[in-house]
Amino acid sequence: MVWDLTTIDYGERGTVLVVPGTEAMAVAAAQSLISVSETAATQTRRALVALSGGSTPKRMGQLLAEAPYRDRVKWEHLELFWGDERWVPLDDPESNAGEAKRGFLDHVPIPPDQVHAWDTTVDPESSAAAYVDTLRSAMQQNNTGAFDLILLGMGDDGHTASLFPGTAAIHESQRLAVSHEVPKLAAMRLTFAPVLINAAAKVIFLVGGAGKADMLHTVLDGPIDIDTYPSQVVRPASGDLEWLVDAAAAARLERTTNHG
Ligand code: 6PG
């Protein structure tokens, strides 16, 4: 599929790719997953990929469950995780992993033992500790010691994964993943810590819709204040950072470019 693509260089804050609408975002996100799986296949290893919750991954999943996308993914060369999860059972409509399972993973040929949902049947701290163990062993087996691709969303309050404004998890530097109570939601969340996200080879934010335009402008053009705008904590140490956004979300960005 071909569409107009504008690339905006945001220096250390990443590269912004502006596509016309949310459908093009979902297509590009699906393409990124196909591409890491193909690369891993040529290297006879598995790519580690973290999915996010939110609306765009939902559409991406629908695409991946259908031809031609479904047949292009090297499913046996993927190892899937979630960058965050809600504290609900897998069969709850709020479950990020449950949603992905029902929406596409149950309809594609990925070996079940390569799909790693957070366990919400134990207590939250044990769940996070067990997830860290699973993450560590996957990264060791992978030989790269890091994620190939982490997909993230950005909330209109600036949160990403389940790193919410004002929470201590934004500054977690020891553990790769944590459980924490998020006061503004009055709910427990499980989330990757910044140290894990920032070690990835590639991080892609998916940000769509006019409702995100003000926050995207603040996060990319404004001063750095990670406690207020946790999305700003995402700065891969040596990996790539991309913002895949639609024209509506990009409307207030100060930088522009004319790359075609
Ligand atoms: C979650 C998320 C969260 C999400 C953003 C953006 O589980 O809630 O992982 O970080 O990605 O809230 O969601 P939308 O893309 O639906 O706006």
Side-chain angles (χ1 to χ4, degrees):
M1 192 180 295
V2 177
W3 57 77
D4 291 337
L5 176 71
T6 304
T7 306
I8 309 175
D9 181 5
Y10 261 90
E12 288 187 345
R13 299 197 197 190
T15 301
V16 178
L17 305 175
V18 189
V19 295
T22 49
E23 182 66 11
M25 282 172 59
V27 169
Q31 188 55 52
S32 70
L33 199 124
I34 291 169
S35 156
V36 291
S37 77
E38 286 173 343
T39 303
T42 63
Q43 298 168 347
T44 56
R45 64 180 185 89
R46 291 180 191 157
L48 305 187
V49 176
L51 304 175
S52 73
S55 42
T56 307
K58 214 177 274 185
R59 179 62 187 140
M60 176 194 79
Q62 287 170 352
L63 292 172
L64 288 170
E66 299 163 1
Y69 302 94
R70 184 181 190 274
D71 310 322
R72 292 180 49 211
V73 182
K74 307 288 182 203
W75 293 104
E76 65 282 16
H77 290 281
L78 283 180
E79 199 83 55
L80 296 182
F81 295 81
W82 279 267
D84 76 322
E85 187 54 280
R86 292 103 190 265
W87 192 248
V88 294
L90 198 60
D91 61 5
D92 189 294
E94 284 284 297
S95 165
N96 287 340
E99 174 64 37
K101 239 176 96 50
R102 292 180 291 275
F104 80 106
L105 294 174
D106 284 348
H107 315 289
V108 300
I110 185 162
D113 64 348
Q114 290 169 214
V115 176
H116 308 280
W118 299 79
D119 183 359
T120 55
T121 64
V122 295
D123 67 280
E125 236 174 89
S126 308
S127 174
Y131 214 55
V132 168
D133 288 346
T134 309
L135 288 162
R136 282 195 195 286
S137 87
M139 289 192 289
Q140 269 159 18
Q141 279 168 28
N142 181 37
N143 287 336
T144 67
F147 268 74
D148 293 82
L149 175 65
I150 296 183
L151 297 177
L152 294 173
M154 184 193 75
D156 50 16
D157 61 353
H159 84 263
T160 190
S162 279
L163 300 169
F164 282 83
T167 57
I170 298 165
H171 297 280
E172 174 66 44
S173 59
Q174 301 301 310
R175 292 169 297 174
L176 299 181
V178 295
S179 63
H180 67 152
E181 174 81 24
V182 178
K184 78 180 276 188
L185 304 175
M188 184 62 72
R189 287 288 184 106
L190 300 155
T191 186
F192 278 15
V195 66
L196 176 57
I197 298 172
N198 287 334
K202 186 165 194 164
V203 177
I204 304 179
F205 272 96
L206 307 172
V207 184
K212 299 281 172 73
D214 285 346
M215 186 50 71
L216 190 65
H217 162 58
T218 301
V219 165
L220 289 176
D221 295 313
I224 297 292
D225 176 359
I226 61 171
D227 291 298
T228 312
Y229 310 114
S231 295
Q232 292 180 331
V233 82
V234 177
R235 289 280 185 99
S238 57
D240 294 334
L241 174 57
E242 275 180 13
W243 295 80
L244 181 55
V245 311
D246 70 353
R252 294 209 55 213
L253 292 181
E254 283 172 7
R255 295 194 195 182
T256 53
T257 185
N258 48 17
H259 295 211

